[in-house]
Amino acid sequence: MKKDISLSDLISESNIVHDYDPNAMSVEKAKTWIANFLKPSDQQEIIHIKDALHRIVAESITASINVPNHDNSAMDGYAININILNGDGPFSLKVTGKLLAGNQLEGNANEAVRIMTGASIPFGLNAVIPQEYVELNEGVITFKIKPHINQNIRRLGEDIKSGQVVFQSGRKIEPCDLGLLASLGIDSIKVYRKIKVAFFSTGDEIVSLGNPLSAGQVFDSNRYSLIGLLKRLDVEAIDLGVTPDNKKIIEDTLKKASDMADVVITTGGVSVGEADYMKEILKKIGEILFWKISMKPGRPLAYGKIGHCHYFGLPGNPVSTMVTFYQFVREAILTLSGQTHIPKTPLIRAQLLSPIKKVPGRTEFQRGIYEQGHEGTFKVSPLKDQGSGILRSMSEANCFIVLHEDTAHLEKDMWVDIQLFDSLF
Ligand code: AMP
Ligand code: MG
């Protein structure tokens, strides 16, 4: 694959790339082509860490303190100096002071000091004996075994060292990261601006919620699936409603969408039906690739640019919309959001509970229900209704059964790859 080719080169001279065939694009190839044209946003903002969950770090973050910033006790017990212990145990030491977390030492640190978890280790002491291992009698502790040096002591900087880079640019902030930043005293960080994604549905037969449904019409479900999918990606979603199959209205809506967003998604109108105008309109106002992907569901897909804006034209069938979103749009949005090291959605091996009919030559994303058997292995049942218009199959299923391009018919008990819906976000 030629890496430095531009979108317009590819559109005008697709034959210069030997492995590029818009009429038979594998899922992986289509993904790689799209990835070629994606550049992360360069706009950044500074936000409080309370608002930073799932945001993408835009500038590496360095620790300016040690965590912990003092040697401290990992147990409730007695801090001692092991260097004053002679011979074999048992040993007896006088308790000469007491130390609670966050307080100053009361007394001297010359023999044993009563110490609580988190309290600083007094100067000159080098081990903590848990209280369960000592006997206390009239201010004297007795214990049998000599501890190792630094036993039960949390050392200065053992969690994070001052000067250490804790997060590189491109890192997605997870819940634990918020705590980690707070442990460093960092209250705000620089992140990439949220990506703006505008979307609308197309089709003369598509009716928005709240309007009556006449014969031959369907309620717009795609827009609501998209709202859910985009919420999980934490983007700024801009809902532009439904347009009829009317060239002027679609063109105007696309222009408006591309003016306000970083990504525009439409559903419907990318196949080759009479009223599928997307191709014609997009050729006029942008640079667009139309692909037939070797996958089921979700064969037609359009990717391109309208001005600075990335465009994804997804097929209108409700299951196809979701599958193409998961396979192509999700990863693109994560890249544009500035995230690096985007983890691949894990594939898990599962044993088929019923046979599957399939012809080689395309990737199929069948909907299935998995469960974990007693012996720990995963079992999966394909749903009976696999039509791309049957959205119920997505709601009933809890995973995709991913049947790779070269896979043919599969018998019961054979092993397949599944992708858990819970691992897709
Ligand atoms: P299209 O991709 O426009 O040819 O549409 C394919 C099928 O998906 C048709 O049966 C449409 O009615 C249906 N469809 C398209 N858009 C939507 C939508 N937003 N909600 C529900 N069904 C849709
Ligand atoms: Mg349509």
Side-chain angles (χ1 to χ4, degrees), residues 115-126:
I115 195 163
M116 297 302 151
T117 305
S120 293
I121 302 296
F123 182 77
L125 303 188
N126 50 19

Side-chain angles (χ1 to χ4, degrees), residues 25 33 44 76 114 116-117 133 156 166 181 204 214 218-220 222 250 268 289 295 325 330 336 347 394 400 421:
M25 289 288 276
W33 275 114
Q44 305 168 354
D76 294 335
R114 174 85 173 120
M116 297 302 151
T117 305
Y133 295 119
L156 172 113
V166 285
L181 289 165
D204 281 340
S214 310
V218 288
F219 283 122
D220 181 3
N222 286 344
I250 295 176
L289 300 164
M295 71 188 272
F325 183 94
R330 169 189 167 268
L336 293 172
L347 291 173
M394 286 295 295
F400 285 124
F421 286 171

Side-chain angles (χ1 to χ4, degrees), residues 302-328:
Y303 166 76
K305 295 202 71 174
I306 309 169
H308 73 283
C309 192
H310 296 267
Y311 169 77
F312 290 89
L314 309 185
N317 274 309
V319 181
S320 312
T321 296
M322 293 199 74
V323 173
T324 47
F325 183 94
Y326 278 135
Q327 297 307 319
F328 303 106

